[in-house]
Amino acid sequence: MRAVIQRVARASVTVDGKKISEIEKGLLILLGIEEADGQEDIKWLSRKICNLRIFNDAQGVMNESLIDIDGGAIVVSQFTLHASTKKGNRPSYIKAAKPDVAVPLYEGFVQQIEADLGKKVGTGIFGADMKVDLLNDGPVTIVFDTKNKE
């Protein structure tokens, strides 16, 4: 499971001209799922993201987590995070999970984030053509891969 998280001042997701998710201060989470991912990946990644101290405290030091600031989150599925660009100029997405595997894992991740944060989070629509608008705060962008936990 791969995630790119961006600390945002605001973010939203629009599908077919309709805004379906919107947050103020918090995290935009782009999530890529591969066939080998499972419940352990979901739990580890959710807890890591929710507790990551990347928000400024009163002294301007990145010392507070998403939980600490009671921030919002939007989770957007993004299979292109598993692109292989080793050969040629056309990315291969062979490692990305097919929808029958990816959708339940995506939904499970959203449920785990909601449980860890204690609140509802925004989402995109799996497989839809989404327009993601964000104001990156910092900028702060961090990449996670659950296969590299150690």
Side-chain angles (χ1 to χ4, degrees):
M1 200 168 271
R2 287 188 183 145
V4 173
I5 64 168
Q6 296 182 302
R7 186 177 78 178
V8 298
R10 63 167 171 71
S12 64
V13 178
T14 302
V15 177
D16 295 329
K18 181 181 175 195
K19 196 174 286 186
I20 61 167
S21 293
E22 184 172 25
I23 61 167
E24 293 299 320
K25 187 176 184 177
L27 293 176
L28 174 66
I29 304 164
L30 304 174
L31 184 69
I33 299 167
E34 62 183 17
E35 296 286 335
D37 292 330
Q39 201 60 36
E40 292 263 329
D41 298 291
I42 289 171
K43 288 179 183 177
W44 181 86
L45 187 58
S46 175
R47 290 198 176 98
K48 192 73 168 174
I49 289 171
C50 290
N51 291 291
L52 193 66
R53 296 175 2 188
I54 59 171
F55 292 92
N56 294 347
D57 62 16
Q59 289 72 41
V61 177
M62 284 197 282
N63 203 29
E64 295 193 334
S65 70
L66 187 60
I67 293 170
D68 295 332
I69 67 155
D70 193 29
I74 295 177
V75 182
V76 175
S77 63
Q78 190 168 355
F79 74 94
T80 60
L81 290 178
H82 286 288
S84 174
T85 57
K86 288 183 179 182
K87 291 183 178 176
N89 294 316
R90 184 176 187 189
S92 169
Y93 304 107
I94 196 124
K95 283 191 168 186
K98 305 291 183 267
D100 61 320
V101 171
V103 171
L105 290 171
Y106 170 74
E107 291 171 350
F109 180 78
V110 169
Q111 290 171 354
Q112 186 67 54
I113 283 266
E114 289 177 339
D116 290 343
L117 287 178
K119 66 161 105 178
K120 190 95 173 118
V121 301
T123 63
I125 296 176
F126 192 94
D129 180 23
M130 296 174 270
K131 306 302 178 209
V132 179
D133 180 50
L134 69 130
L135 179 57
N136 196 316
D137 182 17
V140 175
T141 302
I142 297 177
V143 178
F144 290 98
D145 189 325
T146 61
K147 302 306 180 253
N148 297 323
K149 290 186 260 203
E150 306 296 316

